[in-house]
């Protein structure tokens, strides 16, 4: 009786309480209709061009290419988007769907605050209410984004349960949605959750790969050889990879957060571990970091956006099919890559994206200069200043914060 | 209905406990007290780190139970003890990742060993692709109880009700578990009546029942009333004894 189109092989599905079934059906139906609707797509394109600032540049990193001495490195600069990350592509798309459904309030989970910020932004843009659920731990470490979301008019609701991070924010948002289905739309921020979210979010992010395809063809007269992107839930990676799926010879590498070690709670590597473990959490079947009894494990990453115990179901399927590969990059390697990109190209990447950069720096020297690699810079690094400054310029930063606090 | 030992034509009470809350010993004592005070059946929840259908009270209880070392193995041991010492039907409620992670076959063999009367997994819909689970329920003649919600599309509701065995679990509102959320709505009661028209199985009603009066008001409408969060709240302030008093009040007032 199961509906195959809700799955990627055995992964995905809609493992939720029945209270959500009609809202998910309604969303699925609306999205199916809109995705091929000319007016909808025209409006989406108009918003992406004029509000988000697309297309984003595909930048040839010549300094980095020269210093690493191997493959040509191109950077897809999603960091140039309004609000500073790829998250806004999906937020705009879903806001338009929500408006079509007659919803008045956008609700969202957020970890780092990037997706919450994107949601608060489109809510302001389209005149909708906005509630963002955020774990108490994340609120503390990402306060600048909390401030910005509130400035944009969003109600930021602290989540005091569980590990008080992203996974608990997802639970809280799903529960709020169950109780407020009539007027609210859950604007989920990554390619995960119950159907139709993984496919819908991937579609809205696929503008990244479509642009790369066109830009690369224009610049190099051919398609790239390797695509690299960091993978939290998996949306920026799928957005880059998906439009190239018809090209069997293109290598696609997802970079997971290796944190500070291999032990439980020290990282957020779901697939690139010795024995990835399948589970059913947050409405979908995929790989999850969990103990032997199926309880989710806490995770750690220097980048809040990768600090999540699950991975989108399409990644799980692509991995099992052998189509994509996954590697893990540690906190310190990511921070090092963050500094290298800043110094060599004048581009400050988000800590999430720095994981992808770190892999590219290791990989590029293994190839010749006829090899083309595209690295997705999913976001810009300003948002991480409270983390990176504390790591790379500790004393000055602490002094500054102290002075600011005293001057009050 | 006779299979579960539920008297027909009378409102039965199912009380909920989270296995391991506040610790393994006391949750067992609490369940025994419920049974001895007149609860007709017990719903034992195997705790999960991310319980999607539960409000703050039961969610917190899940976390406390996990911190106290509760595991699926220990929860099934508790169920077995309960079955032996009370003789009352015991239903195991949990989330899909528990059976999935420990292995479906192993989960079912533990359930059979514990002599469980049925399974309730609210995030495992009848049309999901986990066919092995459904095959195992059929193979072992295990009751598989679906939780249905008032906002479901009529076709889907009918399919879910027809797929259910043992009884059907209706929620009185579109929502998550939680106590003291006001009166039971007319819509909620109407929903129970609708579900009764779709099935000859007993129909349970829960989510929000917070007083003996509310429980009793289900008489003639539902076959089973389920009380969960409220009992945890009572336990937190008044301990096992007050839970027993509350249960007695529910069952004596409508006899
Ligand atoms: C800049 C940036 N990159 C990547 C991610 C990870 O998400 P995803 O894997 O869905 O792209 C986030 C999430 O917050 C982010 O802010």
């Amino acid at each position: 009786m199961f509906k195959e189109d809700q799955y990627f092989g055995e992964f995905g599905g809609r493992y939720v309480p029945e209270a959500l079934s009609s809202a998910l059906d309604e969303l699925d139906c609306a999205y199916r209709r809109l995705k091929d609707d000319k007016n909808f797509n025209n409006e989406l394109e108009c918003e992406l061009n004029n509000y988000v600032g697309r297309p984003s540049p595909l930048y040839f990193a010549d300094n980095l290419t020269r210093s690493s001495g191997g493959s040509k490195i191109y950077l897809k600069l999603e960091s140039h988007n309004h609000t500073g990350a790829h998250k806004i592509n999906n937020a705009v798309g879903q806001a338009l769907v929500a408006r079509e459904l007659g919803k008045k309030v956008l609700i969202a989970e957020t970890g780092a605050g990037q997706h919450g910020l994107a949601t608060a932004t489109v809510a302001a843009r389209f005149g909708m209410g906005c509630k963002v659920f955020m774990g108490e731990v994340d609120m503390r470490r990402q306060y600048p984004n909390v401030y910005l979301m509130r400035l944009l008019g969003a109600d930021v609701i602290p989540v005091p349960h569980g590990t008080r991070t992203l996974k608990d924010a997802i639970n809280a948002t799903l529960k709020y949605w169950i109780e407020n289905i009539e007027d609210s739309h859950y604007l989920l921020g990554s390619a995960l959750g119950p159907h139709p979210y993984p496919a819908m979010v991937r579609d809205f992010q696929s503008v990244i790969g479509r642009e790369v395809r066109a830009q690369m063809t224009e610049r190099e007269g051919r398609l790239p050889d390797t695509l690299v992107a960091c993978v939290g839930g998996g949306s920026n990676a799928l957005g880059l990879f998906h439009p190239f799926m018809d090209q069997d010879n293109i290598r696609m590498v997802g970079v997971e957060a290796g944190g500070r070690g291999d032990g439980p709670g020290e990282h957020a590597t779901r697939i690139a571990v010795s024995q990835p473990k399948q589970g059913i959490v947050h409405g979908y079947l995929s790989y999850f970091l969990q103990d032997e009894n199926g309880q989710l494990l806490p995770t750690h990453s220097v980048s809040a956006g990768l600090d999540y115990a699950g991975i989108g179901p399409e990644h799980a399927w692509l991995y099992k099919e052998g189509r994509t590969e996954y590697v893990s990059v540690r906190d310190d390697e990511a921070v090092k890559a963050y500094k290298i990109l800043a110094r060599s190209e004048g581009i400050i990447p988000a800590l999430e994206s720095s994981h992808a950069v770190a892999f590219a720096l290791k990989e590029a020297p293994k190839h010749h200069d006829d090899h083309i690699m595209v690295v997705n810079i999913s976001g810009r690094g300003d948002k991480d200043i409270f983390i990176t400054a504390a790591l790379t310029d500790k004393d000055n930063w602490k002094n500054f914060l102290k002075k600011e606090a005293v001057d009050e | 209905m006779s299979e579960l030992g539920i008297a027909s034509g009378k409102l039965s009470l199912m009380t909920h406990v989270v296995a391991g809350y506040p610790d393994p010993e006391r949750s067992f004592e609490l369940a025994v007290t419920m049974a001895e005070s007149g609860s007709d059946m017990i719903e034992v929840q195997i705790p999960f780190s991310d319980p999607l259908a539960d409000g703050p009270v039961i969610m917190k209880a899940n976390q406390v139970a996990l911190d106290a070392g509760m595991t699926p193995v220990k929860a099934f041991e508790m169920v077995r003890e309960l079955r032996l010492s009370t003789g009352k039907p015991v239903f195991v409620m949990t989330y899909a990742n528990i059976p999935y992670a420990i292995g479906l076959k192993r989960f079912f063999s533990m359930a059979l060993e514990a002599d469980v009367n049925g399974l309730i997994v609210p995030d495992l819909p009848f049309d999901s692709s986990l066919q092995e689970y459904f095959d195992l329920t059929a193979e072992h003649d295990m009751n598989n109880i679906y939780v249905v919600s008032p906002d479901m599309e009529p076709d889907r509701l009918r399919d879910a009700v027809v797929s259910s065995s043992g009884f059907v679990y209706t929620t009185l509102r579109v929502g998550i578990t939680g106590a003291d959320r006001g009166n039971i709505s007319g819509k909620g009661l109407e929903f129970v009546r609708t579900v009764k028209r779709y099935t000859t199985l007993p129909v349970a009603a829960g989510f929000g029942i917070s007083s003996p009066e509310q429980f009793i008001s289900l008489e003639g409408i539902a076959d089973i009333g389920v009380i969960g969060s409220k009992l945890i709240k009572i336990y937190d302030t008044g301990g096992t004894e007050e839970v027993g008093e509350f249960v007695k009040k529910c069952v004596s007032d409508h006899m």
Side-chain angles (χ1 to χ4, degrees):
Chain A
M1 232 184 332
F2 86 98
K3 302 191 180 70
E4 228 165 295
D5 61 353
Q6 300 185 352
Y7 293 83
F8 304 93
E10 73 197 279
F11 300 102
R14 190 186 270 179
Y15 293 92
V16 292
E18 287 294 347
L20 281 176
S21 61
S22 59
L24 290 169
D25 275 337
E26 178 190 50
L27 179 61
D28 190 21
C29 237
Y31 177 62
R32 243 179 247 260
R33 176 170 56 78
L34 292 171
K35 96 184 191 181
D36 300 315
D37 182 271
K38 215 167 125 223
N39 291 335
F40 177 81
N41 283 303
N42 284 343
E43 187 172 11
L44 177 59
E45 193 181 325
C46 187
E47 292 296 329
L48 289 178
N49 293 346
N50 300 315
Y51 189 64
V52 175
R54 305 207 68 90
S56 69
L58 180 67
Y59 168 74
F60 175 52
D62 48 349
N63 296 330
L64 209 58
T65 296
R66 220 175 305 117
S67 63
S68 58
S71 69
K72 282 185 162 178
I73 302 172
Y74 278 86
L75 305 176
K76 178 61 172 169
L77 297 179
E78 288 300 297
S79 47
H80 277 40
N81 296 341
H82 183 38
T83 69
H86 69 294
K87 297 283 176 191
I88 190 95
N89 302 328
N90 168 52
V92 166
Q94 282 197 47
L96 291 175
V97 174
R99 203 186 54 185
E100 204 60 37
L101 284 168
K103 306 286 179 176
K104 302 275 182 285
V105 182
L106 300 177
I107 60 172
E109 85 293 346
T110 200
Q114 282 311 102
H115 173 60
L117 184 64
T119 305
T121 298
V122 298
R125 161 81 185 87
F126 296 112
M128 300 166 98
C130 184
K131 284 186 196 300
V132 178
F133 294 82
M134 190 168 187
E136 280 178 352
V137 169
D138 289 332
M139 276 183 82
R140 212 175 50 230
R141 60 182 174 183
Q142 300 285 340
Y143 184 74
N145 274 337
V146 174
Y147 165 75
L148 292 175
M149 286 186 273
R150 287 180 174 152
L151 176 70
L152 289 158
D155 192 3
V156 182
I157 300 160
V159 177
H161 310 291
T163 57
R164 295 174 289 144
T165 59
L166 179 59
K167 83 170 180 70
D168 308 288
I170 295 175
N171 289 330
T173 319
L174 281 166
K175 289 176 192 183
Y176 180 88
W177 199 30
I178 290 176
E179 303 233 306
N180 297 274
I181 288 237
E182 292 280 297
D183 68 341
S184 59
H185 169 70
Y186 182 2
L187 207 162
L188 219 163
S190 192
L192 51 82
H195 177 80
Y197 285 104
M200 179 172 67
V201 175
R202 175 253 285 152
D203 288 349
F204 285 136
Q205 293 294 0
S206 291
V207 65
I208 302 171
R210 283 199 306 272
E211 285 176 6
V212 169
R213 229 181 137 128
Q215 290 164 321
M216 189 58 80
T217 306
E218 196 185 306
R219 299 276 278 284
E220 294 276 355
R222 69 176 186 93
L223 297 181
D225 302 295
T226 301
L227 305 173
V228 184
C230 66
V231 186
S235 68
N236 87 88
L238 281 177
L240 175 64
F241 298 169
H242 199 260
F244 292 97
M245 282 300 163
D246 59 341
Q247 304 290 313
D248 290 339
N249 50 349
I250 296 184
R251 183 179 175 209
M252 301 176 183
V253 184
V255 185
E256 299 181 87
R260 51 169 104 89
D262 294 335
E266 293 184 338
H267 64 89
T269 308
R270 292 74 32 110
I271 291 186
V273 289
S274 56
Q275 279 183 319
K277 193 158 160 42
Q278 290 180 202
I280 301 172
V281 187
H282 288 152
Y284 66 104
L285 196 159
S286 187
Y287 293 102
F288 289 89
L289 287 167
Q290 53 187 310
D291 69 14
E292 72 280 7
N293 289 319
Q295 312 297 348
L296 281 196
L297 288 171
T299 52
H300 162 81
S301 170
V302 68
S303 66
L306 305 184
D307 200 354
Y308 172 60
I311 185 167
E314 192 166 1
H315 281 286
W317 176 66
L318 289 166
Y319 162 73
K320 214 167 190 180
E321 293 282 300
R323 180 63 193 92
T324 50
E325 46 186 295
Y326 297 84
V327 296
S328 181
V329 158
R330 296 251 170 120
D331 285 352
D332 53 352
E333 298 174 288
V335 172
K336 197 171 141 205
Y338 164 87
K339 286 195 263 185
I340 291 174
L341 190 59
R343 294 284 168 91
S344 65
E345 301 289 350
I347 292 171
I348 302 175
L351 279 175
E352 290 81 5
S353 326
S354 302
H355 285 71
V357 176
F359 172 77
L361 292 176
K362 283 194 274 192
E363 187 65 17
K366 298 181 189 165
H367 299 276
H368 294 294
D369 61 3
D370 58 351
H371 186 100
I372 301 176
M373 185 182 295
V374 175
V375 184
N376 201 21
I377 304 301
S378 54
R380 63 172 191 237
D382 328 24
K383 70 172 174 74
D384 297 317
I385 189 166
F386 280 78
I387 294 157
T388 52
L391 283 173
T392 62
D393 185 25
K394 193 169 175 179
D395 294 342
N396 289 331
W397 182 250
K398 285 261 149 79
N399 281 338
F400 162 71
L401 291 179
K402 265 188 216 139
K403 264 205 307 247
E404 281 295 295
V406 172
D407 284 353
E408 271 310 298
Chain B
M1 228 186 260
S2 55
E3 192 200 343
L4 299 178
I6 304 169
S8 121
K10 151 186 176 289
L11 178 66
S12 296
L13 172 64
M14 178 159 87
T15 50
H16 171 276
V17 282
V18 174
Y21 180 77
D23 59 42
E25 293 74 38
R26 282 186 283 176
S27 68
F28 177 73
E29 284 163 22
L30 182 61
V32 170
T33 301
M34 289 169 173
E36 285 173 350
S37 305
S39 181
D40 300 288
M41 44 219 274
I42 311 287
E43 180 185 16
V44 174
Q45 177 164 4
I46 303 178
F48 178 48
S49 56
D50 297 81
L52 205 47
D54 286 307
V57 172
I58 295 182
M59 199 185 352
K60 195 197 93 204
N62 273 254
Q63 197 53 53
V64 170
L66 290 172
D67 294 344
M70 185 43 68
T71 63
V73 170
K74 289 184 192 163
F76 277 118
E77 279 167 7
M78 167 174 157
V79 169
R80 192 180 146 75
E81 284 292 305
L82 266 183
R83 289 282 296 135
L84 287 172
S85 61
T86 69
K88 301 227 164 151
V90 178
F91 296 85
V92 163
M93 180 265 171
T94 193
Y95 289 91
N97 202 44
I98 299 296
Y100 189 73
I102 67 176
L104 298 181
K105 287 211 175 71
R106 182 164 164 236
F107 181 82
F108 271 84
S109 73
M110 290 188 330
L112 291 170
E113 176 78 10
D115 196 22
V116 167
N117 297 80
L119 300 170
I120 305 167
V121 185
D123 62 343
L124 188 58
F126 65 92
D127 61 348
S128 75
S129 71
L130 216 58
Q131 192 54 42
E132 192 189 348
Y133 185 93
F134 306 125
D135 293 345
L136 283 164
T137 54
E139 186 188 321
H140 298 297
D141 207 17
M142 175 66 76
N143 286 318
N144 186 24
I145 293 110
Y146 287 105
V147 182
V148 294
S149 168
D151 67 334
M152 287 171 75
E153 295 296 329
D155 286 351
R156 185 172 178 86
L157 175 62
R158 200 167 321 111
D159 288 347
V161 168
V162 169
S163 309
S164 213
S165 49
F167 63 90
V168 180
Y169 194 141
T170 63
T171 68
L172 291 164
R173 35 187 196 86
V174 181
I176 54 177
T177 59
D180 303 318
R181 306 272 308 246
N183 294 331
I184 297 172
S185 71
K187 252 171 120 178
L189 297 176
E190 193 44 50
F191 176 59
V192 180
R193 289 195 190 94
T194 303
V195 170
K196 282 218 66 104
R197 279 198 292 275
Y198 288 154
T199 182
T200 54
L201 291 176
V203 173
F207 282 35
I209 301 175
S210 302
S211 66
E213 294 72 32
Q214 283 184 345
F215 169 72
I216 291 154
S217 73
L218 296 171
E219 181 87 65
I221 299 167
D223 302 292
I224 303 160
V226 190
I227 310 184
S229 302
K230 184 65 190 182
L231 295 176
I232 294 181
K233 286 176 91 170
I234 294 173
Y235 178 81
D236 286 347
T237 54
T240 309
E241 206 170 305
E242 281 194 21
V243 172
E245 292 307 311
F246 186 92
V247 169
K248 278 183 199 152
K249 249 191 142 151
C250 290
V251 293
S252 63
D253 286 7
H254 82 294
M255 287 218 274

